[in-house]
């Protein structure tokens, strides 16, 4: 299908916006009138630039408050429209968005509105222009899309149709299934926007909080399913008003935008392939569909004809060309985590790993890279000059520069990610060394995809001279979660990337209080929880999270959590090796005693070892402890999950952030008496 | 009255918060429980620190979800409370806030709730602790303060009373007049918060958008009037949850906080002095009261006894000691505006002034300061080494470092401002030179107050060697408005300062779109509009406004607008002298023709001279033109108001910001042929 975006969705001058839109491979765009008015280019020049860039101008928008109870005002509005038709002629645009009226001068009689729209359509027809009439959620009279469609039907003019906007429909809680009742040739245009679910004035919600499909809380796959089932085959167009996108560089935003449409197209198809009834296939159904063991090609190959009798959607999908990426990777946790260091920090980080029970397990055959290992968990320290890691260090200081996931098929995973506009990454590889498929993520770090064959072929042994294992473990297991501090500009971007490229599903947004500002947190995970990512963002520039964001698109991992089976034993062992843990105040433990019934002996151990505690509604328990920060950049967490606890101890985040804010201890000191 | 503030209102660690609270001369504070839990200090240490700082601990808060439908849970909650009573004993706190219940386990029977509160009060009494029961706006059952009071009355225990919170009452639209029905000895505590008027989920509204009295949209003077009329004489305590305050340095926030209470106390008294019925004295009445020619002392001296029969409020005011600052200044516009420059920018700025029709009217007798004059409007260029201006230049580059207002009594104006916690400013003054009363404002710039006597004594002549006037004017009149770019941390602070110290009244908050983000704007003015200040703030770091904010508390004037009687003549004359005006695109003028019926000849002149146009609902007109920026720091505007237009051309702000964003022209070029 054709893909389009409204210029209001992104930042900058009109010509720069158009260039970014073309660069992200959109087919066309909607001209937001103010962008044109504020432009130094004449409409004819803009039309020519669009043609040069290979972009069609799909819509001129918006024309507001057209109909009028008063005839004199109506005549004036017709004149006003004629001026815009002139301009559209210069521009080369053939469709204009007519919003339902929000002014006190609006007509309130449907027949009158239909009549006035008919008269406008007559004039438009003479110019070869079509009118797309849209119901705004906060309009005075026509705020329901069914009402909008009734008026269009009543006016009955070939140059008048409806424009559907997912925000205006879903924000009012209207059921989108009635879209299928609209005559397909009368759906002139489709605008798509997601939004977080909020209870607030709908105009404010619309103007500031819209986001790309997949970033918010609306069920857009279901919505789009109804529109396609109705027979719509025009462009899928994004119209997003978002305060952060208005500020962020348009070159990044347009790639996010495209990614969101691609994700949406795939979602609609996945549901159809699974044979789900669109009307009942709400968000919850999607993960199963995704996790199901469907071969990559099945999605593409699903014989549309065979299903065309099943539902109108399946029939529509048979006719339409939707995005068909390789299936999402099946992820089985983390293969390794790679740290960028320099000469000044390499040894210090090694001491931390050692205190955490990792042993130095190998030296890279051709690079200054060392492997640290505890059980199945691998950490890599990269200090190779001229490498990606050294460039990363230069920009961000000591940081986590790459994460490798264990996947069923690394090549397919990369192909999927690149289909979603992530750039493939190819590092320098020495002779006989292993190439691991990889992409560069939205925050600039690298994501490797390790296939089982690769590990079966013993890729560690190929690249590294492995040492004899010595048992130095303190009981740490796999990586439980990876916490990322995102700059505000790339928080929603990261959510969408994880969701689209990796098939993770996001949880709720949480608000956490740091002593110096609010932090928003949202976790994503796969179905078996072998990969959990917690994204954090801070509007304030003074929080610990904000300080972990070293640059606009910087290296954002601010802590790495390891699972353990007996946290008390592991913490005690690490302490025995000189590892410091964050000093949680006694007041916290006094309060724990008031909040929970906890065995006094357990409480004493928690307090003694500075381990934090949380309990969920069904009795699941979470015990966790934090280290201080390494060079002010990142830290480590030890976690023990008991009884199906599925969160991250959010209620303890504020005490942790307060402790981090005042902490000045160094991570490792030699144990006493050594 | 005693003044207090909740620790949750400000940022940082508990001990730092307490120090800031003491520094701003509060009498006491409310301990927010999480601040205590997260503190490294034991409760006993915090109690000792409070005593050292001379602060009383007025409230421990909050205790949540106390009552319970289920008896077992109720017993558990009693235990939980006992632990908190232990802690309060250590702390030295004798009152605890009990919030109405928001959980699904809440009791819903009033008698049961009253009974449970009675039992808690019995236990509290044994410890010398009192319970202040508060209805949360989003509580499950008890969300109305009258309901809360009914339950307290029903429980009838001397250690149980109500806590009133203006946000919880006003956010639900409840009429505060019934507060006067509550027995005075049963109002245990009062929490004050303002908030902008918004339509959104009340919990989110409360958690993120509360602000100090005078910064939002609630009628707090009226609210407080009812509370005082009810006989309350306890502390006035601020409890503000605000995302910006959570981030801003607590030393600044606490001064704002104190300023807001002082302002509020004065407002309540002013209304009582004016003999207004509190119940009907809504916001609109305040400006008249303030503008009335009441001598400063009348406010203080108003014989309370004489009025004690009039209203319960007047009687209460007779008993209470409220803040009594000198009356607000009567402001008659701007006496001069002072610019900080260095050797590299002094001449260039002079050329701009000259092109704007100002003439070099005098040289300071002892400093490198020059006076520029057009009619009554004076501009001063300060390049004196070692002066305040030179320090200002060092920090902010070329900027407006001081503004002088014409006032009825400069000394009284300064006394009022310092009573509101603004620091007095005393610059270096040469022998025989004039001292002008001044304060340093919240953005670090200087505000002078020039009395009529000073000008009558010819203070320009005393300090300056004046030149012979040569008529170089191009028709510019007085300063129409001063536009300030505030950093987000000090936007509300600036609103409150202008309102409290200067007696200006704020208008609505507007949202304007810059090509690189949203800008919020709020204008304040005095009644005769001789002083208009427009405050602008941008959350985005990429807008023109954001670029004008040179530092956290930086010099924020980003443009200065001059009135003129014939803008076409003035702009043409300035252009003739080589002054550049911002290039507004032709598309704007095409759109003007669609939006308004404008005479074609007028439209042509607007277009030719790049003058912008706006029209208000009653036909008032606004014509205005902008210069490019001076050194990327500030610019000038020429405005002509016709027919009572009272705004600032907000609808043209986006086209101006777009033009500024792409503008690269220099302000003055020598006129051709010269």
């Amino acid at each position: 299908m054709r893909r389009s975006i409204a210029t209001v969705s992104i930042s900058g001058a009109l010509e720069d916006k158009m260039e970014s839109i073309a660069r992200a491979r959109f087919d066309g765009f909607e001209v937001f009138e103010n962008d044109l008015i504020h432009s130094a280019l004449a409409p004819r020049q803009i039309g020519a630039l669009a043609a040069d860039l290979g972009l069609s101008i799909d819509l001129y928008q918006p024309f507001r408050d057209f109909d009028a109870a008063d005839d004199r005002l109506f005549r004036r509005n017709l004149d006003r429209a004629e001026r815009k038709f002139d301009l559209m002629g210069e521009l080369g645009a053939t469709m204009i968005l007519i919003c339902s009226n929000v002014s006190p001068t609006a007509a309130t009689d449907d027949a009158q509105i239909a009549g006035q729209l008919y008269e406008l359509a007559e004039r438009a027809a003479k110019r070869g222009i079509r009118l797309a009439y849209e119901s705004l959620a906060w309009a005075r009279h026509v705020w329901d899309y069914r009402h909008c469609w009734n008026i269009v039907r009543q006016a009955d003019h070939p140059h008048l149709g409806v424009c559907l906007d997912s925000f205006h429909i879903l924000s009012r809680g209207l059921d989108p299934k009635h879209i299928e009742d609209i005559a397909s040739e009368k759906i002139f245009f489709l605008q798509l926007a997601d939004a977080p679910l909020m209870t607030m004035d709908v105009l404010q919600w619309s103007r500031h909080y819209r986001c790309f499909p997949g970033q918010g809380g609306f069920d857009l796959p279901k919505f789009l399913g109804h529109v396609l089932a109705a027979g719509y085959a025009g462009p899928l167009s994004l119209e997003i008003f978002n305060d952060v996108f208005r500020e962020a560089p348009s070159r990044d935003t347009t790639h996010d935008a495209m990614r969101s449409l691609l994700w949406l197209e795939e979602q609609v198809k996945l549901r159809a392939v699974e044979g789900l009834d669109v009307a009942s296939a709400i968000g919850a159904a999607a993960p199963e569909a995704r996790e199901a063991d469907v071969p990559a090609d099945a999605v593409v190959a699903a014989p549309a004809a065979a299903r065309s009798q099943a539902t109108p959607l399946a029939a529509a999908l048979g006719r339409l060309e939707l995005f068909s990426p390789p299936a999402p990777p099946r992820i089985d946790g983390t293969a390794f985590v790679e740290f960028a260091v320099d000469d000044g920090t390499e040894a210090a980080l090694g001491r931390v790993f050692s205190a955490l029970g990792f042993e130095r397990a190998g030296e890279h055959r051709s690079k200054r890279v060392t492997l640290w290992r505890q059980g199945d968990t691998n950490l890599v320290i990269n200090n190779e000059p001229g490498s990606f890691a050294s460039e990363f260090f230069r920009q961000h200081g000591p940081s986590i520069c790459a994460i490798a996931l264990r996947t069923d098929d690394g090549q397919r995973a990369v192909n999927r990610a690149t289909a979603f506009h992530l750039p493939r990454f190819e590092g320098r590889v020495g002779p006989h060394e292993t190439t691991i498929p990889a992409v560069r993520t939205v925050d600039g770090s690298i994501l490797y995809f390790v296939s089982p064959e690769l590990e079966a072929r013993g890729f560690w042994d190929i690249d590294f001279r492995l040492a004899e294992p010595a048992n130095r473990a303190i009981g740490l297991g796999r990586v439980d979660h990876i916490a990322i501090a995102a700059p505000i500009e790339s928080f929603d971007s990261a959510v969408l990337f994880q969701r689209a490229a990796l098939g993770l599903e996001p949880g709720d947004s949480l608000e956490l209080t740091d002593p110096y500002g609010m932090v928003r947190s949202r976790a994503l995970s796969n179905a078996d929880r072998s990969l959990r990512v917690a994204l954090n963002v801070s509007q304030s520039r003074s929080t610990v999270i904000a300080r972990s964001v070293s640059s606009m698109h910087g290296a954002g991992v601010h802590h790495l959590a390891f699972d353990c089976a007996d946290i008390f034993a592991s913490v005690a062992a690490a302490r025995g090796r000189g590892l410091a843990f964050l000093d949680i105040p006694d007041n916290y433990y006094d309060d724990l005693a008031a909040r929970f019934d906890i065995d006094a002996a357990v409480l004493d151990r928690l307090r003694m070892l500075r381990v934090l505690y949380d309990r969920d509604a069904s009795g699941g328990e979470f015990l966790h402890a934090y280290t201080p920060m390494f060079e002010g950049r990142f830290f480590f967490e030890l976690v023990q999950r008991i009884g199906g606890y599925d969160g991250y101890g959010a209620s303890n985040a504020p005490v942790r952030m307060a402790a981090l804010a005042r902490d000045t201890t160094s991570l490792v000191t030699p144990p006493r008496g050594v």
Side-chain angles (χ1 to χ4, degrees), chain A residues 1 3 166 190-194 212-215 218-225 227-228 236-238 256-271 290 317 322-323 325 416 420 496 499-500:
Chain A
M1 303 191 75
R3 301 179 189 111
S166 61
L190 172 65
Q191 293 178 318
L192 294 164
D194 201 347
F212 293 128
Q215 294 179 333
F218 290 148
D219 186 357
L220 285 175
K222 176 179 169 185
F223 178 88
L224 181 56
V227 178
L228 299 183
L236 306 182
S237 189
L238 296 162
D256 268 349
M258 178 55 81
R259 201 171 287 136
S260 77
L261 282 184
L262 300 178
W263 172 83
L264 183 57
E265 291 177 31
E266 184 193 28
Q267 292 304 306
V268 172
K269 285 192 12 178
L270 276 178
R271 294 201 196 176
R290 208 175 291 111
L317 293 180
L322 268 75
F323 177 62
R416 178 178 174 89
F420 277 107
L496 183 60
R499 198 170 189 185

Side-chain angles (χ1 to χ4, degrees), chain A residues 3 14 17 86 108 141 204 315 335 448 496 507 648 657 662:
Chain A
R3 301 179 189 111
L14 181 54
K17 293 182 181 201
D86 295 345
T108 52
H141 183 52
Q204 288 299 314
Y448 291 101
L496 183 60
Y648 301 84
M657 294 192 282
R662 67 173 165 259

